[in-house]
Amino acid sequence: MSSSTGEWCCTECGSHNAYQETFSDDEVGHIMGCEDCGYYDVYREDAETEEVIEEYAGFDHEYAQDDKENNK
Ligand SMILES: [Zn+2]
């Protein structure tokens, strides 16, 4: 597993309460998520076939739903 996480400045609300994760193993791609406004930018593709598994940008991603669960 090769991945790294770091801080990210949200492109939607400008918050630094956001993170990005990039990875390159059996899947290649990135996930950016903002904990303030719930914006997520997700891109994942299969490293072997280069088939896009997921491409998403918006406010209703399941990860954002998870954040809301955790904040209860
Ligand atoms: Zn944001």
Side-chain angles (χ1 to χ4, degrees):
M1 184 87 184
S2 171
S3 70
S4 65
T5 56
E7 290 187 4
W8 180 59
C9 180
C10 177
T11 55
E12 294 301 306
C13 71
S15 171
H16 289 270
N17 190 21
Y19 72 92
Q20 64 176 328
E21 177 176 0
T22 58
F23 40 86
S24 177
D25 42 79
D26 56 331
E27 290 178 13
V28 179
H30 64 251
I31 296 170
M32 283 93 133
C34 176
E35 294 186 8
D36 279 352
C37 71
Y39 178 75
Y40 273 76
D41 183 328
V42 179
Y43 181 80
R44 295 156 57 206
E45 70 175 37
D46 189 294
E48 280 190 30
T49 66
E50 297 184 355
E51 183 181 337
V52 176
I53 299 165
E54 181 174 12
E55 187 170 13
Y56 179 88
F59 293 94
D60 292 316
H61 196 276
E62 59 186 287
Y63 299 144
Q65 302 302 321
D66 288 347
D67 286 346
K68 286 174 189 163
E69 295 282 313
N70 292 337
N71 288 337
K72 271 182 190 159

